[in-house]
Structure formats: C-alpha cells, structure tokens
Amino acid sequence: MRKRLIVSAAGAAALLLAVPAAAAPAGAGTAGIGDPYYPTYGNGGYDVSHYDIRLTYQPATDRLEGTTTVLATATQDLTRFNLDFALDVSQVLVNGRPAAHAATGEQELEITPAVPLAKGATATVVVRYAGTPSKVSRYGFTAWLRTPDGGIAAGEPESAWWWFPGNDHPADKATFDVSVQVPDGTQAISNGTLVSQTSRLGWTRYNWRQNKPQATYLATLALGRFEISTDTTPGGLPVLNAYSKDLGDNAGAARASVQRTGEVLDWLSGYFGPYPFGSAGGYVPNVTTGYALETQGRVFYSPRQFAAGSNTSVVVHELAHQWYGDSVSLQRWSDIWLNEGFARYAQWLWSEHENEGTAQEIADYVYALHPAGDTFWNVKPGDPGPERQFDAAVYDRGALTIQALRNTVGEEAFFRILKEWPAEHRYGNATITQFQQFAERVSGKPLGDLLNTWLYTAGRPAAGPAAPPAAGAPFAAAARPSADAVPEPRSWKQIRATDGVHDHAERHPAGARP
C-alpha cells in the first residue's frame, strides 16, 4: 500500500522528455536507469553496495544537515555520473579528491570526478549537504512529511531525494548505515537494528544498521517523539514498534493492530518461508496521510489506517511485502503485481485463517462485484502504466490472478510456489516473466495463457477465478453469479478499509505541513 508520484502537467512533460540512455555522452553515466515508467529515476554507469548516512536534524526548524558516503562499482568507464538528490550540496569527494558537481533537472546531482573511473573500479563518493526538506519541491510535490515534532521520510516510488543522495531505483539495492543526531528528547528511527545510542551536550545520536540489501524507496527515517515498545517473536526475532505520543483517538486502535506484528510474521513464515531480515516492527507517526508503506523491516503506518478501529489486515499486507517487494524486489516498476498482488492475497489468506471468508469466497465476491464493462477490468496488473500503477485493480485483480493460479496448479504446487519463489530470489530482483517461468517449473503446467488473460488483457475474464471445469479446459466460460447473489465475506470491510491507501494524490505544497 502506497504513496505514489502524481505529477503536474509540467512534471509529466519533464518525464516524457527525459534524455534517453543512448543520448549520454561517451564516458558519462546516464541520468536515468532505463525504467520506462520513470525515465529520470535512478542512474546508469555504476552499482551501489552501501550507503553510510550521517545526519543532524533540528525538529524546530526542520533543518537537516548530512554527509552521505556512497560505495559503488563502475559498470562502465565513467568520466561523469549522477546521483538522485534534491537538497543543497556543498561538497563532493570521489576517492578522496574534490569533484565538480552541479544540480541538473529535477533531482539530478551531476558529478565529475577529478580522475575518471575505469570499468570495474570501486569508488567512495562523499556528499556534504544541508536543507529544509519540507520546503523542497520536485515535480510539484515534497515527499517529506512534516509532523508537529519532526519529520518523516516514507514514500513510493521516491522519498530518498529529500534526505540522502543515491541511485534511486529498486534495481540497485544496497546495505545501509544511518546515524542521526537530534536534540535530547527527540528520537530517530530507521530500518534495521539500533546498534548504539549515545548522548552528549544536549544531543542524542542514534545509529541504525540494515545489513541486508534494501531498495532506496524502502529506506525510512522517522524523527520526533515516540513511545517505543520492544519484544521478540516466539521464534526470537527482535520487534520494535513506535507510536507518536499525540495520535489522539487513533492511538489504541493503532497499538492493537501493530502490536500483533510478531504474531503475523510467524504466521506468514508458514506460507512464505523464514523471515528474510534480522529485525521487524512498525511505526505510526502523527501525519494526516492515509497510506501505509512496507519500509524494510520497519513499516510506516498512517494513523488514518486505524480511524475506524483496529485493522490487522493492513499489518498483514505490509508484512507480506517483506518477502514480496522487499526481499524480492521488482526489476522495473511495471512488475508491480509481484508486490501488490501477493500482499493483497496475503490478506485473503489471513481471512481464511480468521474464519472470516476463504480466499475463494473473496475472489468470487470481488469478481461478481465488478461486472463486464466495469472500468476496473481496463487496468492490466501486469503492466498498468505509471498513472495506474497503484490502482485498486492492481491489488484486487492482482489477487484474483493468484487465486486463478492456485486453482489451476493445485494446492500442493501453489503453496510450494508461494514459499520457494522468495527463497529463489532472496535479496534480489525479479520480473513477472521470471515468476511465470518459475511457477511453470514447479507446477509442470503452461501458464502463459492464464497470466496473459488475468494480467495483460483488458476486460473481464469469462471464467472468473474458479477452478477449471475439467482437465484440459482451464479457461472455459462458466456461469458466474451476480454481486447480489454472492455473500459478502465477513473480512471484506476490513480489507476494503485498507483501500484508502490507493488515494496516492497526497502530495503537499512545498513548505506546507500535512
């Protein structure tokens, strides 16, 4: 569940007119990694292995000062390369030598090292910077969420630009060290494990480490005053949850939901295999946004997720992403079904677990809810386009696809696929094509027609997500009841309550407090 980029007409034009990779001068890394959905996001010519981010933050003014060290390997000869960043840069060093730098485009930091980098060479890039993130607008919005007592970085497909420079695309994952100095009484929360906390002269420094590969959009930073709870799962996994002290009427429901993180993770491990990271948890800051985001190992939740009461279903969704989206990340943004379809389907499995409706009953209900001709069926989850990337149909039709897959390959093969796919691509990236090949190998069945029908073809599939009527005829049309004739599953209202996160047009004017 997401926050996504909604650009102005001018911003859209800038995206469409981005310089293609082939137009880069010889020896220059491209300003864009080559993703057709977001042509200017990420960069070419190098691969990042680690980010070391050291920050000082003043919550009263939202002033952020930082030094980020990027460890990278050149994948081509480089006379110049870019990082994605939006704050003011005062100095850049490449392998200890001052490097020329310039801000170009919307979020490009163009760097010219004193000595060109040869293909295969390692580089240590140090960037010193400062700024007020909430006052920085790119493509007509700021992804930095100002709170009454600090600020939050949590957004998709971008939020890194507002607090550290990087190669901002999921295809280039890296490990992270995040060290943040804040005034005593303010806390700094990030991904991974808190390895140390020290205080001196009125300031406290928090040092966080994420030692498993992480996409830049999954890096998070929460600065403010929190009530923190720590525990372990029955299996011994450390769990840290945090709640703003001023959540008001939503505080109890938020805790009643997020505090079940350990229980849900152990349950999900039965379907998806061992949890892929060394710590887990979530945080609920005082923001007015309505979305949640699977920031790696430390999920971001908006208080509004719990405005109608506790909602464990949204916790299930975001924690399912730790396998489907975080450990196994999409290779390009058009592969979003691999994230959202499976996280939504986890909610359906949770409904089965809670005896509030089986996955098949939910699938029948969703299918009946959208008759032929409904615009719901115009969205193709396998390639929805950037404007519809986080459309409700990507989630719900995406989950229908998975139920159709389950009925086609059978229970044994299906649950093998659910568990073995995250293991096969653990800490890496993957595409829908690779998933199809994997599922065909496990099941021994051709799945091209099935996935093409459900993921890539506009219109309502004739047969619905039911099991095939006979062997050899998996796509024969079958009579399906209308929505009025299909009982609403008891879990549906809670699942539907998470749909508020599909409203991604939640950008805030630069300098505005949400």
Side-chain angles (χ1 to χ4, degrees):
M1 297 186 176
R2 301 289 194 273
K3 183 176 185 180
R4 90 171 288 284
L5 171 61
I6 302 295
V7 298
S8 63
L15 285 174
L16 293 173
L17 296 176
V19 177
T30 57
I33 207 167
D35 194 311
Y37 277 24
Y38 304 101
T40 68
Y41 287 22
N43 303 281
Y46 63 92
D47 179 74
V48 178
S49 59
H50 185 73
Y51 293 96
D52 184 87
I53 304 167
R54 294 185 63 84
L55 305 171
T56 296
Y57 180 73
Q58 179 51 259
T61 60
D62 200 38
R63 179 72 174 177
L64 184 74
E65 298 179 4
T67 300
T68 290
T69 302
V70 181
L71 304 183
T73 301
T75 57
Q76 65 176 71
D77 292 341
L78 283 176
T79 57
R80 192 182 76 212
F81 60 92
N82 287 19
L83 295 172
D84 298 296
F85 197 47
L87 299 186
D88 294 331
V89 173
S90 59
Q91 184 185 42
V92 177
L93 304 174
V94 178
N95 292 333
R97 297 178 175 86
H101 60 90
T104 64
E106 288 282 340
Q107 85 289 348
E108 301 292 340
L109 174 62
E110 188 177 280
I111 298 171
T112 304
V115 178
L117 302 174
K119 181 179 180 179
T122 57
T124 302
V125 184
V126 177
V127 182
R128 303 186 195 279
Y129 53 92
T132 305
S134 58
K135 294 184 178 179
V136 175
S137 176
R138 294 293 181 267
Y139 298 105
F141 66 86
T142 175
W144 182 266
L145 306 176
R146 189 77 161 102
T147 65
D149 54 10
I152 305 295
E156 184 185 28
E158 71 295 285
S159 66
W161 317 336
W162 283 265
W163 64 290
F164 71 93
N167 194 14
D168 195 22
H169 191 277
D172 192 0
K173 298 163 74 170
T175 54
F176 281 74
D177 283 313
V178 177
S179 176
V180 189
Q181 180 176 260
V182 290
D184 288 348
T186 296
Q187 291 140 308
I189 296 170
S190 191
N191 311 82
T193 302
L194 181 64
V195 294
S196 65
Q197 176 182 332
T198 57
S199 295
R200 182 174 181 270
L201 301 176
W203 292 81
T204 301
R205 181 168 288 279
Y206 296 83
N207 295 297
W208 294 87
R209 168 161 289 183
Q210 174 56 271
N211 63 359
K212 300 302 181 186
Q214 175 175 277
T216 46
Y217 84 93
L218 296 173
T220 193
L221 184 64
L223 304 162
R225 296 175 181 268
F226 297 92
E227 293 179 1
I228 294 177
S229 72
T230 58
D231 201 353
T232 60
T233 68
L237 178 73
V239 179
L240 183 150
N241 297 319
Y243 309 89
S244 283
K245 296 181 178 181
D246 52 358
L247 293 179
D249 292 343
N250 296 332
R255 285 175 173 81
S257 306
V258 179
Q259 286 300 115
R260 298 184 71 179
T261 292
E263 170 199 353
V264 171
L265 281 176
D266 279 0
W267 174 79
L268 283 168
S269 296
Y271 287 100
F272 299 154
Y275 179 70
F277 307 118
S279 64
Y283 70 97
V284 190
N286 184 9
V287 292
T288 58
T289 55
Y291 64 95
L293 182 64
E294 65 272 14
T295 39
Q296 188 163 308
R298 187 116 316 109
V299 174
F300 163 85
Y301 300 96
S302 298
R304 205 193 315 164
Q305 286 289 307
F306 312 105
S310 63
N311 191 338
T312 313
S313 188
V314 71
V315 176
V316 170
H317 183 108
E318 301 308 330
L319 293 179
H321 275 308
Q322 305 305 306
W323 287 264
Y324 283 84
D326 292 13
S327 177
V328 184
S329 299
L330 45 76
Q331 181 65 34
R332 52 181 179 257
W333 283 107
S334 59
D335 294 312
I336 192 65
W337 172 72
L338 290 173
N339 293 12
E340 298 307 339
F342 285 87
R344 175 63 102 204
Y345 195 77
Q347 294 176 269
W348 294 11
L349 292 174
W350 179 257
S351 176
E352 287 189 359
H353 173 69
E354 295 289 279
N355 295 316
E356 293 185 340
T358 67
Q360 185 62 60
E361 288 168 344
I362 299 171
D364 287 341
Y365 183 76
V366 172
Y367 182 82
L369 197 62
H370 300 283
D374 191 325
T375 57
F376 173 90
W377 299 110
N378 293 340
V379 178
K380 296 175 282 187
D383 190 7
E387 300 83 8
R388 294 297 188 102
Q389 186 180 350
F390 302 109
D391 191 277
V394 173
Y395 296 67
D396 290 334
R397 183 174 176 179
L400 285 171
T401 304
I402 297 168
Q403 183 63 24
L405 174 68
R406 179 178 179 176
N407 290 330
T408 298
V409 303
E411 297 288 283
E412 182 181 354
F414 177 74
F415 288 108
R416 278 188 60 199
I417 291 166
L418 280 192
K419 185 173 289 187
E420 293 178 13
W421 169 258
E424 175 135 328
H425 293 277
R426 192 176 177 94
Y427 308 132
N429 298 80
T431 66
I432 294 175
T433 298
Q434 288 174 305
F435 177 83
Q436 177 185 328
Q437 294 168 347
F438 175 83
E440 288 177 336
R441 187 170 80 240
V442 171
S443 68
K445 294 187 177 184
L447 299 171
D449 288 345
L450 174 78
L451 295 181
N452 183 63
T453 296
W454 282 95
L455 294 179
Y456 297 103
T457 304
R460 189 180 195 237
F475 311 115
R480 307 295 293 172
S482 68
D484 293 338
V486 179
E488 179 182 298
R490 282 186 293 162
S491 61
W492 182 246
K493 284 185 173 59
Q494 193 171 75
I495 293 171
R496 178 61 72 192
T498 65
D499 283 353
V501 298
H502 298 308
D503 180 11
H504 305 292
E506 291 182 348
R507 298 304 190 181
H508 309 288
R513 177 171 291 182

